[in-house]
């Protein structure tokens, strides 16, 4: 069977049929499909050694978004998330990009950042000059601190020294930034090891006090960009022509650059997709979240992260998203979490770099889905339709009752928990 992530009526299949389809289309091996079918969590032994005071495991459903082509490669997107409608919206958005070849990405450099912060410095200009003149020694110390990353082709690439000024505009700290090629790892531990190896020498050269040496999650030397083109034709609704919808999407993204109240929610939509894939890949979602939100504030106020524009000659809506993304394909908890490795298989990736490119594309798709819905029919229609399942479960429905109560809820003008409870009671009375 052809390897395509455009699999029709996937959502109508049973779980085992979906896994058979993913196998048939070449996205998972027999073994991985078996593991996805039977897994109920991680082994007690692993769970107990991953964190402290472990008492249980917290489960989230994992699904796949379809229809993605990223840099010419068909891929299926694993998403671990509790919120209904995110996966449906993401799959639907990706469909709009297929006729123009899907998403294209660029990723000029991928370096992890560390910082060594010093204070009680007599002459800041001299201190900065001193550190800048000893970069070769810093590189040698870094190699001694973590030789294996150098053997793998990585290690310290760049050093920058910055004077940090306080609120009164006085020089108060001298910070030395290290930019490290961490190869396939996310690299927090690699960078922290290097920092601890290098810091004592710099402290001695400067005769200064050390405040701390630590990785920075603000990965401005690991920026990924995803772009896509959507023909106006595909955007038309019953009430608006395609170009008008495209124009509204452009304005929505523009507005999110101006008003932080909107920007936060605009970016929350992007993070719906990004967090879900980051979780499914076993990566550190706190690190990714913190870095992305800082990047959204880089111009001095918190802004929406996507840019949409019209190309009238081509009759296309063009989207772009740039994010700091530094994920690992190994290291941390990734090797201990069996589903994290299967997520890489589903995405058809071999490297952390490819993974970041895909995740950026997912963020752009998710933003398109949300903004398109908001400027046309609103998000509640689609959202509430899927939320009906959650309401049915909340009301106490189990097994087949869930779909029966949810479908009756969907037929109503308004749905809420009281209605779900009432419908469940009615259903049980009918069946008793
Ligand atoms: P690890 O400490 O697991 O380091 C990855 C290790 O994998 C390397 O040291 C390397 O060991 C080995 N490795 C094997 N093959 C490769 C390869 N091809 N490329 C790179 N390394 C390879 O993980 P990280 O350093 O990535 O740290 C990530 C963890 O740190 C996450 O769990 C994160 O939550 C946590 N953390 C995060 C912080 C933050 O974000 N602020 C702070 C502190 C920790 P070797 O070369 O020796 O064989």
């Amino acid at each position: 069977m052809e390897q395509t992530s455009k699999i029709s009526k996937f959502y109508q299949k049973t779980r085992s049929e979906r896994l058979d389809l993913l196998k048939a289309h070449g996205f998972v091996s027999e073994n991985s499909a078996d593991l996805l079918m039977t897994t109920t969590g991680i082994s007690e032994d692993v769970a107990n050694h991953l964190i402290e005071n472990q008492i249980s495991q917290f489960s989230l459903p994992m699904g796949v978004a379809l229809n993605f082509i990223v840099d010419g490669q068909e891929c299926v997107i694993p998403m671990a998330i509790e919120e209904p409608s995110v996966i449906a919206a993401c799959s639907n958005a990706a469909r709009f990009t297929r006729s123009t070849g899907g998403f294209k990405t660029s990723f000029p450099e991928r370096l992890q950042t560390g910082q060594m912060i010093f204070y009680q410095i007599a002459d800041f200009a001299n201190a900065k000059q001193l550190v800048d003149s000893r970069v070769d020694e810093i590189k040698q110390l870094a190699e001694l601190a973590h030789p294996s990353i150098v053997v793998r082709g990585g290690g310290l690439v760049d050093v920058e020294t910055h004077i940090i000024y306080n609120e009164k505009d006085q020089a108060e700290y001298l910070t030395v930034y290290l930019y490290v090629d961490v190869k396939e790892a996310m690299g927090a531990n690699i960078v922290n090891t290097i920092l601890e190896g290098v810091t004592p020498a710099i402290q001695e050269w400067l005769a200064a006090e050390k405040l701390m040496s630590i990785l920075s999650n603000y990965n401005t030397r690991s920026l990924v960009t995803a772009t896509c083109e959507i023909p106006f034709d595909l955007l038309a609704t019953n009430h608006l022509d395609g170009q008008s919808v495209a124009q509204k999407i452009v304005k929505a993204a523009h507005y999110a650059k101006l008003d932080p109240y909107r920007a936060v929610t605009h970016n929350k939509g992007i993070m719906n997709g990004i967090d879900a894939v980051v979780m499914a890949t076993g990566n550190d979602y706190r690190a990714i979240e913190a870095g992305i939100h800082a990047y959204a504030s880089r111009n001095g106020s918190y802004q929406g992260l996507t840019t949409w524009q019209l190309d009238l000659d081509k009759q296309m809506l063009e989207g772009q998203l740039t994010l700091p993304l530094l994920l690992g394909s190994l290291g941390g908890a990734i090797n201990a979490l069996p589903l994290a490795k299967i997520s890489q298989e589903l995405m058809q990736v071999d490297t952390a770099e490819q993974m970041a490119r895909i995740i950026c594309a997912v963020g752009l798709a998710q933003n398109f889905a949300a903004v398109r819905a908001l400027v046309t029919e609103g998000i509640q229609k689609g959202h509430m339709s899927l939320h009906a399942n959650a309401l049915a479960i909340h009301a106490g429905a189990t097994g087949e009752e869930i779909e029966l109560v949810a479908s009756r809820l969907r037929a109503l003008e308004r749905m809420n928990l009281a209605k779900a409870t009432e419908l469940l009671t009615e259903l049980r009375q009918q069946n008793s």
Side-chain angles (χ1 to χ4, degrees):
M1 225 181 245
E2 180 202 2
Q3 189 173 49
T4 174
S5 63
K6 187 168 183 283
I7 310 173
S8 80
K9 304 271 185 284
F10 190 78
Y11 66 98
Q12 291 177 348
K13 313 284 184 207
T14 64
R15 186 155 76 105
S16 129
E17 286 167 346
R18 288 174 192 158
L19 287 168
D20 284 343
L21 278 167
L22 291 176
K23 256 189 306 185
H25 284 284
F27 289 107
V28 279
S29 67
E30 185 90 36
N31 279 350
S32 301
D34 287 349
L35 193 60
L36 285 166
M37 191 63 201
T38 54
T39 194
T40 50
I42 41 182
S43 77
E44 179 54 27
D45 213 26
V46 171
N48 202 27
H49 287 90
L50 271 182
I51 59 161
E52 312 73 41
N53 299 347
Q54 185 252 355
I55 54 165
S56 186
Q57 294 183 32
F58 189 95
S59 302
L60 284 177
M62 176 169 152
V64 285
L66 302 180
N67 300 324
F68 272 81
I69 305 174
V70 181
D71 297 322
Q73 168 77 49
E74 293 274 355
C75 47
V76 159
I77 313 292
M79 299 174 97
I81 188 163
E82 86 299 344
E83 186 177 343
S85 88
V86 169
I87 293 177
C90 195
S91 302
N92 191 35
R95 218 167 36 86
F96 283 79
T97 67
R98 290 186 70 87
S99 68
T100 53
F103 297 88
K104 313 217 166 34
T105 69
S106 60
F107 200 175
E109 60 177 355
R110 181 181 174 278
L111 299 176
Q112 184 54 278
T113 307
Q115 46 182 191
M116 296 172 276
I117 308 169
F118 302 97
Y119 66 108
Q120 283 189 0
I121 291 169
D123 184 332
F124 278 89
N126 261 348
K128 176 171 160 36
Q129 208 173 23
L130 176 77
V131 177
D132 289 344
S133 68
R134 300 183 79 163
V135 166
D136 287 344
E137 284 167 80
I138 294 174
K139 286 189 174 163
Q140 281 162 15
L141 288 166
E143 182 168 348
L144 281 174
H146 208 307
S148 58
I149 195 66
V150 180
V151 171
R152 292 183 194 286
L156 179 58
V157 170
D158 210 357
V159 181
E160 276 177 19
T161 313
H162 289 277
I163 300 168
I164 306 292
Y165 294 84
N166 64 21
E167 302 81 357
K168 293 179 195 145
D169 239 1
Q170 295 160 337
E172 186 160 340
Y173 304 99
L174 188 82
T175 302
V176 183
Y177 293 83
L178 301 188
Y179 297 101
V180 182
D181 179 353
V182 288
K183 305 314 279 182
E184 282 305 306
M186 176 268 200
N189 292 322
I190 296 173
V191 167
N192 287 340
T193 303
I194 292 175
L195 289 168
E196 285 183 11
V198 173
T199 302
I202 301 188
Q203 185 177 9
E204 199 184 315
W205 302 340
L206 297 176
E209 278 296 320
K210 177 194 88 169
L211 185 61
M212 65 177 81
S213 295
I214 183 72
L215 161 109
S216 167
N217 292 111
Y218 192 25
N219 294 122
T220 53
R221 298 281 301 262
S222 184
L223 296 176
V224 194
T225 297
T227 59
C228 67
E229 291 181 326
I230 298 172
F232 290 163
D233 286 354
L234 299 184
L235 294 169
T237 67
N238 290 341
H239 307 289
L240 286 170
D241 63 83
Q243 186 170 332
S244 302
V245 175
Q247 181 67 55
K248 278 175 178 274
I249 291 172
V250 170
K251 282 197 98 56
H254 176 235
Y255 185 82
K257 305 262 189 224
L258 305 174
D259 176 359
Y261 283 86
R262 175 63 208 134
V264 169
T265 319
H266 183 93
N267 291 345
K268 190 275 181 183
I270 295 170
M271 299 314 293
N272 273 341
I274 290 175
D275 280 346
V277 194
V278 172
M279 294 272 280
T281 62
N283 269 277
D284 184 336
Y285 52 91
R286 289 86 55 204
I288 298 295
E289 278 272 349
I292 290 178
H293 293 299
Y295 190 68
S297 306
R298 68 194 178 285
N299 295 326
S301 69
Y302 189 89
Q303 296 184 317
L305 285 157
T306 50
T307 303
W308 291 94
Q309 60 183 27
L310 304 183
D311 185 327
L312 293 174
D313 291 338
K314 287 161 83 179
Q315 293 283 291
M316 295 275 183
L317 171 68
E318 297 174 343
Q320 181 177 321
L321 174 62
T322 299
L323 297 173
L325 273 179
L326 215 162
L327 302 137
S329 69
L330 47 74
I334 294 165
N335 298 70
L337 301 172
L339 293 190
K341 280 286 169 190
I342 297 182
S343 290
Q344 293 179 17
E345 185 181 343
L346 286 163
M347 284 193 276
Q348 301 285 290
V349 297
D350 297 319
T351 65
E353 182 195 313
Q354 290 169 308
M355 205 188 297
R357 288 173 186 269
I358 292 175
I359 291 176
C360 191
V362 169
L364 185 57
Q366 208 78 55
N367 178 252
F368 169 74
V371 174
R372 173 178 165 268
L374 285 169
V375 299
T376 54
E377 62 180 7
I379 60 164
Q380 273 317 75
K381 193 166 153 234
H383 203 272
M384 289 312 282
S385 164
L386 290 161
H387 186 55
N389 293 334
L391 280 177
I393 294 166
H394 194 165
T398 55
E400 288 177 354
E401 289 173 343
I402 299 172
E403 194 41 50
L404 289 168
V405 171
S407 61
R408 290 181 192 187
L409 278 171
R410 282 185 205 111
L412 300 175
E413 186 76 10
R414 279 177 187 280
M415 61 174 88
N416 55 31
L417 182 58
K419 262 288 164 216
T421 310
E422 198 181 306
L423 287 170
L424 179 63
T425 309
E426 259 175 47
L427 182 75
R428 286 182 175 166
Q429 277 165 357
Q430 282 164 11
N431 290 342
S432 65

